[in-house]
Amino acid sequence: QITKSTPTTMASGVKALEHSSLKVPYEILNKKFRVAQKTIDREVSHVMQATSELEKCLEGSSATVGKVVGLLDGVIEKLTGLKRKAEEAILAEDDSAKVCKRRIEHLKLHDSEQPSTVIQWKKKRLDRMLVEHFLRCGYYNTAIKLAKHSGIEDFTNIDLFLVSKEVEESLQRHETAPCLAWCHDNKSKLRKMKSTLEFNLRTQEFIELVRGNHRLDAVKHARKYFSQVDPEQMPEVQRIMGLLAYPPDTQVQPYKDLYEPSRWDAMVQQFRWENFKIHQISNYSVFCLTLQAGLSSLKTPHCYRDPESSYRNSQCPVCSKHMNELAKPLPFSHCAQSRLICNISGQIMNENNPPMMLPNGNVYGETALLAMAAENGGKVVCPRTKETYTIDQVEKVFVM
């Protein structure tokens, strides 16, 4: 039985599925605000310093016209720089705020009184889910084309994933500079998360120096970056320092594992997770979670009978070949009330479509059997056994 969604259930569904739609632009806006605040504070301090030097010059007895003009030019230059950077910061914040506003206005459409508007909104939501899923899978061009085709560029996080793509590709090329720059831009958040990403990057740089037989440079690198590490990271530092005594082709553990190229893949994965965590994005795409929830709510043991038999419901998504495979690891649905489904029509068998039994014991809905008899001159064919009976031989089944 399908029940109409109430405003409460619709709102909770939107809240569950659209968390990242609002959280990501909010986090970006928050970051731009903090960066702008630091920039303006720094420029204001420069202006105050230039003003202070001008006041000291005017209070002194050795002030000359040329010196005062030079200091005034310095104050004007600092004020001009403050104005320019303040305008740039305000413009960046305004753009981010507009993105938040557009997404809020878009999400409000789910509660529209116009059915056509709600249908269109759901279509765009599906497209947004697919765009995000494509981005996570690395199909960037496909995601961008779909977003442009559906007109949902402002409602997706393409820019965030493109930045992530650049960093991940640099790590796959064994380059650490872009990822270290990203760590610097997000150092306050990473510190709160107690992230080890920057430490692992410095560790990998040390390993690559040793691998390239630049042991003296490796020691200098260790003195620069490992001298003030946290106490819990010291055992790891001591372990990697042992690499100085072992060649890259060593079979001695744990040094053999430290030389493994797969460490770069682990750092790509760590960067991806921490990037998602900073922007409040789930490690799994909303499309996958929604699909799994839907399949699990429909999955029953009946869906996993012999695939060659005709006992599966043709209109059940889980009974289809590909969905059946996807739903295998998912739990079965919790059915508090059993329902009989006609194998011919896929309709529920109830008082309006009572179950009818053929002489061979198979049960189908009355509506489907009457329709078949009308087409075949009063005869019905069992789709499972291919036996033929007249409609008069069919008996009604009563379920207690």
Side-chain angles (χ1 to χ4, degrees):
Q1 184 179 359
I2 300 175
T3 58
K4 186 178 180 181
S5 298
T6 63
T8 303
T9 57
M10 288 177 66
S12 61
V14 171
K15 183 178 179 181
L17 297 177
E18 304 292 351
H19 178 263
S20 63
S21 296
L22 291 179
K23 194 64 177 177
V24 170
Y26 168 76
E27 290 295 333
I28 294 174
L29 174 61
N30 189 27
K31 179 182 176 181
K32 288 184 177 180
F33 171 76
R34 288 185 282 106
V35 171
Q37 190 177 32
K38 291 178 182 178
T39 302
I40 292 174
D41 288 344
R42 183 173 61 251
E43 293 300 318
V44 168
S45 67
H46 293 165
V47 172
M48 295 301 293
Q49 183 179 356
T51 305
S52 177
E53 291 177 359
L54 177 60
E55 289 177 351
K56 287 180 181 179
C57 179
L58 293 174
E59 291 173 357
S61 58
S62 60
T64 62
V65 174
K67 189 174 182 181
V68 171
V69 170
L71 291 173
L72 279 172
D73 289 340
V75 172
I76 293 172
E77 182 183 353
K78 299 298 182 184
L79 286 170
T80 304
L82 171 61
K83 181 183 178 183
R84 186 185 70 255
K85 292 190 177 180
E87 288 175 347
E88 292 174 355
I90 292 172
L91 184 61
E93 288 182 45
D94 186 56
D95 290 340
S96 297
K98 286 179 179 177
V99 171
C100 292
K101 183 178 179 180
R102 283 194 291 267
R103 294 196 183 188
I104 291 172
E105 294 298 326
H106 171 68
L107 293 180
K108 284 181 179 179
L109 295 177
H110 89 280
D111 202 23
S112 173
E113 296 180 357
Q114 300 295 329
S116 59
T117 302
V118 177
I119 292 173
Q120 186 64 23
W121 182 84
K122 289 181 178 180
K123 171 66 170 60
K124 287 191 174 183
R125 179 172 65 174
L126 176 59
D127 289 341
R128 286 190 287 111
M129 289 182 183
L130 289 171
V131 167
E132 183 199 358
H133 187 70
F134 289 149
L135 290 170
R136 288 173 180 266
C137 295
Y139 304 122
Y140 296 99
N141 293 333
T142 303
I144 293 171
K145 288 181 180 178
L146 176 58
K148 287 182 178 179
H149 176 74
S150 301
I152 54 175
E153 297 99 320
D154 291 336
F155 310 137
T156 59
N157 302 315
I158 292 179
D159 292 340
L160 176 66
F161 280 94
L162 290 179
V163 172
S164 175
K165 171 177 175 281
E166 293 176 2
V167 176
E168 290 179 16
E169 288 179 348
S170 68
L171 289 174
Q172 290 168 353
R173 295 192 301 267
H174 298 184
E175 299 172 3
T176 59
C179 193
L180 287 170
W182 180 87
C183 290
H184 178 74
D185 291 340
N186 299 277
K187 60 182 177 182
S188 60
K189 287 284 186 73
L190 293 174
R191 192 182 302 113
K192 290 178 183 177
M193 290 164 47
K194 296 183 179 179
S195 169
T196 60
L197 179 59
E198 184 173 359
F199 172 75
N200 291 338
L201 289 168
R202 297 301 184 188
T203 298
Q204 194 62 35
E205 286 180 336
F206 177 89
I207 293 172
E208 296 304 319
L209 287 172
V210 177
R211 192 198 307 274
N213 201 28
H214 304 296
R215 283 174 166 73
L216 183 57
D217 293 334
V219 172
K220 292 178 180 178
H221 182 277
R223 287 175 178 172
K224 182 177 181 180
Y225 296 110
F226 299 152
S227 58
Q228 296 181 345
V229 296
D230 295 334
E232 59 267 20
Q233 293 175 336
M234 188 52 67
E236 180 68 16
V237 173
Q238 293 170 345
R239 184 160 51 250
I240 65 167
M241 293 302 292
L243 289 174
L244 294 169
Y246 292 91
D249 58 352
T250 182
Q251 298 300 312
V252 179
Q253 294 290 3
Y255 307 107
K256 179 183 177 182
D257 290 341
L258 291 174
Y259 277 122
E260 285 293 332
S262 59
R263 285 176 57 89
W264 288 100
D265 297 330
M267 277 190 292
V268 170
Q269 193 64 46
Q270 184 183 4
F271 163 75
R272 187 176 299 164
W273 285 344
E274 297 194 357
N275 186 34
F276 289 164
K277 192 173 181 180
I278 283 176
H279 294 93
Q280 303 290 322
I281 300 177
S282 170
N283 289 333
Y284 303 96
S285 74
V286 177
F287 176 76
C288 285
L289 296 176
T290 306
L291 179 62
Q292 290 174 357
L295 291 175
S296 182
S297 66
L298 297 172
K299 180 181 175 183
T300 65
H302 184 85
C303 300
Y304 288 87
R305 290 192 178 187
D306 182 8
E308 301 301 327
S309 72
S310 58
Y311 283 89
R312 289 187 177 181
N313 185 356
S314 59
Q315 296 189 5
C316 172
V318 184
C319 289
S320 64
K321 180 180 178 181
H322 300 295
M323 294 295 184
N324 191 269
E325 191 68 24
L326 288 174
K328 271 187 178 180
L330 302 176
F332 289 103
S333 63
H334 174 68
C335 298
Q337 200 171 18
S338 297
R339 293 179 296 179
L340 297 177
I341 306 296
C342 175
N343 188 261
I344 298 175
S345 64
Q347 298 176 351
I348 297 175
M349 290 187 280
N350 51 27
E351 65 277 4
N352 300 317
N353 183 29
M356 308 293 288
M357 184 178 68
L358 299 179
N360 61 6
N362 291 326
V363 178
Y364 304 98
E366 183 184 46
T367 303
L369 292 178
L370 290 176
M372 185 185 297
E375 294 176 358
N376 298 323
K379 294 184 179 181
V380 294
V381 180
C382 178
R384 294 175 179 139
T385 63
K386 307 304 179 185
E387 296 174 282
T388 303
Y389 305 99
T390 63
I391 192 66
D392 296 333
Q393 294 177 281
V394 180
E395 297 181 357
K396 184 179 289 189
V397 176
F398 296 91
V399 180
M400 303 298 294

